[in-house]
Each structure stands twice: as C-alpha cells, then as structure tokens.
C-alpha cells in the first residue's frame, strides 16, 4: 500500500511536499459507487486526496433541499476547508463510480505541515478555486434552464456506464434545484427525443452527443 500511495503522490507531483513519516501515516481507501465519504455535519478529522474515480459534492440548504455543488475528478482534495477552519464537514461527498482516495488524519497534518510553505500555498490555491466553483454552483439554478441542468446531471453521473438509478426522482429533482413534476416532464421529452430510455428504475443514456449539445457544456464539472 505504501508503494501505491507513493506512486499516486509522485504521479500528481506531490511526493516532495510531504515528509516520509507523514506519507507512512497515509491510508489508501476505496469506495464503491454511491458510498459516502463524508456527510454534512460530521466531525471533520481527515483530509482526502482524490486519486482515482469521481466524487459528487452536495449540500443541504436551510430549506431542506439538497443541491449539487460540484463533481470532482482526480486530482482533487476534500476536507481542506474544514481542516483550515476546524469545523465539521460543510458538504456531503459521495462516490459516483469506484473511487480511490488517500486519507490523512488532520492532527498529523497539523503537526507536520503547519509551517510548510508549499503546503500552505497549495491549500490557498485549492480553497480559492473551491470558493469560485461554489459561487458558480449557487448561481447555476438562476442561469440555466432545467433541461440544461438535467442533461448535465445525467452526463456527470455516467462517466463509465450509461445507466443511472432513477428510483428516487425526488432526490434527483432536489439535487438539480427543480420540482419532481418538472424533472419528469424534461425526462419524458428527452425520451421522446430518443436521447434516454427509462425502464425498471433506471435511466439509460442512448445519445450522449445530443445531451452534450443540450447541456452546452458539462456545467457541473
């Protein structure tokens, strides 16, 4: 496992940032699609580096609606804002596909890296980027129509296999910031267009190119 971690760090140009004693404390963890790494409000005691797979980041609004903030691909980091602020996890993070992360206990990072200039600069850059992405996500529902959001969501949730679970369209509607009825109407239109097929609790993407055109760009990425 140590060699795998070293290989990942080397591959992403991070090997020289972390001392060997900290690298030996790192753990490689795997998550199947749909499994949560963190839940909003949980105690934040680790930082995770995303080295393989894809993650979905969402938040629960004060009104009780869960909204997508971003999808993350390697290389990325989760838990960094909580590390800096000493606060609980502010978002829910789950795997979209089989995913691998390097997990590091916060207390060890603070002990080893508190005065490391390269690490502090790295945190500054990643957190600044996240606030930019969050600003875009919070304005997303005002800027794009529901059909664009639905197309983007379907594309983002199917990086490997063109099939998505549709057993809870209510949850899907909440995530993209619309009503169940409106979501269902859009999905029905997509099906009439021949872009998707709904069957037995699943949605299968039949025409990815058409959905990409509809989305304009994969906005959630």
């Amino acid at each position: 496992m140590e060699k795998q971690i070293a290989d990942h760090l080397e591959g992403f140009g991070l090997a020289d940032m972390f001392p060997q004693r900290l690298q030996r404390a790192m753990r490689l963890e795997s998550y199947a699609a749909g499994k949560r790494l963190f839940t909003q409000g949980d105690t934040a005691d680790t930082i995770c580096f995303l080295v393989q797979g894809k993650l979905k980041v969402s938040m629960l609004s004060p009104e009780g609606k869960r909204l997508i903030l971003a999808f993350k691909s390697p290389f990325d980091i989760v838990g960094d804002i909580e590390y800096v602020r000493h606060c609980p996890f502010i978002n829910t993070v789950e795997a979209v596909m089989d995913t691998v992360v390097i997990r590091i206990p916060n207390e060890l990072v603070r002990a080893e890296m508190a005065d490391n200039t390269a690490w502090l600069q790295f945190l500054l850059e990643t957190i600044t980027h996240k606030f930019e992405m969050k600003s875009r996500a919070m304005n997303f529902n005002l800027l794009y129509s529901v059909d664009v959001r639905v197309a983007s969501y379907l594309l983002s949730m199917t990086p490997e296999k063109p099939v998505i679970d549709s057993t809870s369209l209510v949850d899907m509607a909440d995530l993209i910031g619309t009503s169940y009825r409106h979501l269902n109407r859009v999905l029905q239109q997509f099906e009439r267009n021949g872009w998707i097929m709904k069957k037995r609790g699943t949605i299968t993407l039949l025409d990815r190119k058409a959905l990409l055109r509809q989305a304009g760009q994969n906005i959630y990425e």
Side-chain angles (χ1 to χ4, degrees), residues 191-215:
E191 190 166 30
R192 286 193 294 271
N193 292 346
W195 300 348
I196 65 171
M197 178 178 64
K198 292 175 61 182
K199 186 177 181 182
R200 296 179 182 175
T202 63
I203 297 172
T204 302
L205 276 61
L206 302 177
D207 192 338
R208 197 172 187 88
K209 290 183 179 179
L211 289 168
L212 282 167
R213 287 194 298 271
Q214 183 69 26

Side-chain angles (χ1 to χ4, degrees), residues 59-78:
M59 68 172 294
L60 195 65
S61 72
E63 296 76 26
K65 299 288 187 180
R66 185 162 296 282
L67 301 171
I68 292 175
L69 296 180
F71 285 86
K72 294 183 174 293
S73 300
F75 172 80
D76 214 319
I77 181 172
V78 289

Side-chain angles (χ1 to χ4, degrees), residues 18 33 104 115 120 138 195-197:
F18 300 104
I104 321 171
D115 298 321
L120 296 177
M138 297 303 289
W195 300 348
I196 65 171
M197 178 178 64

Side-chain angles (χ1 to χ4, degrees), residues 140 144-155 186 189-190 193 195 207-219:
F140 177 64
Y144 295 95
S145 61
V146 173
D147 54 344
V148 172
R149 279 178 269 157
V150 174
S152 182
Y153 179 83
L154 293 175
L155 291 165
V186 171
Q189 183 60 54
F190 284 4
N193 292 346
W195 300 348
D207 192 338
R208 197 172 187 88
K209 290 183 179 179
L211 289 168
L212 282 167
R213 287 194 298 271
Q214 183 69 26
Q217 58 181 319
N218 214 346
I219 299 157

Side-chain angles (χ1 to χ4, degrees), residues 56 58 66-68 141 153 170-178 220:
K56 178 174 67 178
S58 62
R66 185 162 296 282
L67 301 171
I68 292 175
N141 293 342
Y153 179 83
V170 174
D171 289 345
M172 189 189 303
D174 283 349
L175 283 167
I176 63 174
T178 190
Y220 285 117

Side-chain angles (χ1 to χ4, degrees), residues 97-108:
M97 55 192 288
D98 290 346
T99 295
V100 178
V101 301
I102 297 174
R103 188 182 286 263
I104 321 171
N106 283 348
E107 59 182 29
L108 292 180

Side-chain angles (χ1 to χ4, degrees), residues 9 22 28 32 34 46-47 58 72 84 92 99 105 107 111 118 121 157 165 198 203 216-217 221:
L9 294 177
L22 183 55
L28 205 62
T46 59
I47 291 176
S58 62
K72 294 183 174 293
V84 172
T92 294
T99 295
E107 59 182 29
Q121 181 64 32
M157 288 294 292
D165 180 12
K198 292 175 61 182
I203 297 172
Q217 58 181 319
E221 299 296 328

